[in-house]
Amino acid sequence: MSNDIILITGLPHTGKSTLAKKLEERLSYDLHSTTLIRRKLGYKRYNEKQDPIVLRKVYERIEDSIENGKGVVIEGALFVVASVRQEVYTIASRHGIDVLLIECYCSEVMSKRGMRARPMKDDLVSDPRRPEVYDKVAAAWQDINGDFSMFPPLSYIRYNYEIKYVEEVRVNSNVKQLVDRIKEIIKS
């Protein structure tokens, strides 16, 4: 595997963090999660005014990982916004590397049920037990199909967390081996 960027996005409680952690472990990529970075910055509660600081730190860490020859897994709900994804594509272009975007999804019912079932003390920095958060993030969602014009070499797969199914929407030959490996990891 090379030092590709795997960008994982999706609505709340759709398997993003679970998949990101598996990929970090099994691919030996560096994981940069917006939630983990918020914690490291000492943020106890989510406040959207923190987003630019968190994203700047994510982008810095991506650059550091790439410069050290590491692949990167990036995960977070902030990446539902096209301009936030665009910065990742700009970094990839600057370094001449590929981006594989993975959209995690499941039914709204499953997502909201899972959110309500989260433990009270799970150290998350948002309101992870409030299903209204799902609705807010869903309203901010910006379609991924427009990203192909921003970053033509983009590869894109969709992962249905509910049924453990991977749909290859657009996979370039450069990342086909990586996609096949991710499918194996999901099955295991």
Side-chain angles (χ1 to χ4, degrees):
M1 303 287 157
S2 64
N3 62 339
D4 301 314
I5 295 175
I6 300 171
L7 173 57
I8 302 174
T9 190
L11 298 178
H13 209 276
T14 56
K16 295 182 306 293
S17 297
T18 302
L19 179 59
K21 189 70 181 148
K22 278 184 177 181
L23 296 180
E24 173 196 29
E25 292 168 358
R26 302 283 293 279
L27 298 174
S28 297
Y29 277 32
D30 288 346
L31 172 60
H32 304 301
S33 161
T34 56
T35 300
L36 296 175
I37 288 173
R38 280 183 202 284
R39 287 184 197 153
K40 288 179 182 176
L41 290 171
Y43 298 141
K44 300 293 184 197
R45 302 291 292 158
Y46 175 78
N47 181 329
E48 66 185 42
K49 291 179 182 175
Q50 303 161 349
D51 291 352
I53 298 164
V54 170
L55 287 169
R56 193 167 35 255
K57 188 60 81 175
V58 168
Y59 301 143
E60 288 171 8
R61 291 180 179 197
I62 294 168
E63 293 272 3
D64 289 345
S65 294
I66 293 168
E67 288 170 7
N68 288 315
K70 295 286 292 194
V72 179
V73 175
I74 311 158
E75 176 271 319
L78 291 177
F79 296 101
V80 301
V81 177
S83 62
V84 176
R85 297 189 301 264
Q86 172 63 54
E87 185 60 29
V88 175
Y89 306 148
T90 299
I91 293 168
S93 288
R94 194 166 41 249
H95 291 277
I97 60 176
D98 291 300
V99 176
L100 170 62
L101 189 142
I102 303 175
E103 176 191 353
C104 293
Y105 69 100
C106 65
S107 69
E108 182 176 342
V109 170
M110 180 182 176
S111 177
K112 288 182 175 181
R113 184 181 325 123
M115 291 175 77
R116 283 189 293 274
R118 284 178 169 158
M120 292 293 278
K121 302 270 185 192
D122 63 4
D123 293 329
L124 293 175
V125 293
S126 64
D127 288 326
R129 300 186 82 240
R130 289 185 38 235
E132 302 84 50
V133 172
Y134 177 96
D135 298 327
K136 184 177 179 181
V137 175
W141 180 265
Q142 293 179 335
D143 186 52
I144 290 169
N145 288 312
D147 292 17
F148 297 118
S149 62
M150 289 190 278
F151 188 69
L154 177 66
S155 290
Y156 171 39
I157 63 175
R158 298 183 77 227
Y159 169 51
N160 186 323
Y161 180 63
E162 198 164 1
I163 61 171
K164 309 295 185 244
Y165 173 74
V166 175
E167 172 193 1
E168 295 183 23
V169 178
R170 177 175 159 178
V171 177
N172 297 322
S173 60
N174 295 0
V175 298
K176 180 62 174 144
Q177 183 180 6
L178 176 62
V179 168
D180 292 343
R181 180 74 178 114
I182 290 169
K183 286 178 172 180
E184 289 173 17
I185 291 168
I186 287 170
K187 287 179 186 176
S188 64

